[in-house]
Amino acid sequence: MATAYANPSAGYRALSPEAELLLRETNHRCSNDLQLVVSLLALQSRKAASDETRQALIDTMERVAILARARASLKEERRPTLEAALRQVCEALQSQAEPRSIFLSLETASAVSGLSAVQVTTLTLIVNELATNAIKHAFAQDRSGRIRIVVRPHDSRSLTIIVDDDGLPFPEIASRTTGGLGLGLVRRLLESIGGVVILPANGSKCFEIRVPMASH
């Protein structure tokens, strides 16, 4: 997995020792609670009577697991960084991608600052959703290829994240205006942090996420 990382400390305003301790404790408690939810979902999936219900529970479990990993990465860091959280996503997805010769890359063109912990965890889940959908659908029929995740400032007040792949074509715009569960989840999550998703043009596979950066 190739990565190109920027310096995450640029533009960071230090927290007080008390605030930093509180943030670490909050992330620790959230991570533990999410791991408990993952375990409960795994238990229920094994008891599911139908394949459809079982798969729905597994999909939900995987989404919650990504949130748990993101929270765990925030617990280890002195400050929330999108780079660290997305690195966790890529490492988790490698178990699905590598056996099928799908290459994931994470590129951060320049330092990204001004994101809250809520924005970091939300964007982590969004990127996971788009990359997972690509692995499941764009690389069907034993197709190999590449998924690129690129993070860069859009302007002085907003951030752009690109999720692109060279897999099978995305459906025509007319057939994807409402979107399935994955795209609907992406839209709702982005709305919660004031962001938008720009869908690929016909013939393209490039999703563009734009989100405002929190004020310093």
Side-chain angles (χ1 to χ4, degrees):
M1 177 176 61
T3 54
Y5 298 126
N7 177 10
S9 63
Y12 168 67
R13 185 175 62 184
L15 296 174
S16 68
E18 294 81 6
E20 193 166 288
L21 179 61
L22 179 61
L23 179 62
R24 281 172 170 262
E25 180 62 22
T26 299
N27 286 328
H28 176 71
R29 290 177 182 271
C30 286
S31 179
N32 288 346
D33 289 344
L34 289 169
Q35 290 291 356
L36 176 60
V37 174
V38 169
S39 298
L40 291 172
L41 288 169
L43 178 63
Q44 290 301 313
S45 69
R46 289 195 290 270
K47 295 181 177 180
S50 71
D51 291 340
E52 183 179 0
T53 300
R54 185 179 301 107
Q55 189 57 52
L57 287 168
I58 290 173
D59 288 345
T60 302
M61 180 185 69
E62 290 174 350
R63 291 180 175 112
V64 177
I66 287 296
L67 281 177
R69 291 189 187 99
R71 279 294 175 182
S73 71
L74 296 183
K75 180 181 66 176
E76 298 300 325
E77 299 281 337
R78 294 190 60 191
R79 52 192 176 274
T81 65
L82 183 61
E83 177 188 351
L86 291 182
R87 186 166 60 243
Q88 290 281 336
V89 169
C90 289
E91 290 173 356
L93 290 176
Q94 279 296 97
S95 61
Q96 302 177 43
E98 189 171 352
R100 298 168 55 186
S101 299
I102 302 171
F103 177 76
L104 281 88
S105 66
L106 171 62
E107 306 164 26
T108 55
S110 58
V112 174
S113 60
L115 292 175
S116 68
V118 171
Q119 287 176 307
V120 168
T121 52
T122 302
L123 289 170
T124 298
L125 186 56
I126 289 167
V127 170
N128 172 73
E129 192 68 29
L130 293 174
T132 299
N133 283 343
I135 292 172
K136 289 182 177 179
H137 304 297
F139 297 99
Q141 304 168 3
D142 296 326
R143 186 185 182 101
S144 62
R146 179 174 181 176
I147 300 172
R148 294 176 62 245
I149 301 167
V150 181
V151 183
R152 60 173 181 253
H154 176 65
D155 53 35
S156 61
R157 297 183 178 180
S158 61
L159 177 74
T160 290
I161 302 176
I162 300 294
V163 181
D164 194 10
D165 69 76
D166 58 1
L168 296 171
F170 197 74
E172 296 297 314
I173 291 178
S175 65
R176 54 178 168 139
T177 52
T178 56
L181 174 62
L183 189 52
L185 178 62
V186 166
R187 284 175 166 143
R188 288 193 295 274
L189 288 170
L190 275 170
E191 287 174 2
S192 73
I193 56 174
V196 295
V197 58
I198 301 172
L199 299 182
N202 286 337
S204 170
K205 300 299 301 298
C206 180
F207 285 86
E208 183 176 352
I209 299 162
R210 291 183 187 173
V211 63
M213 289 187 272
S215 58
H216 294 272

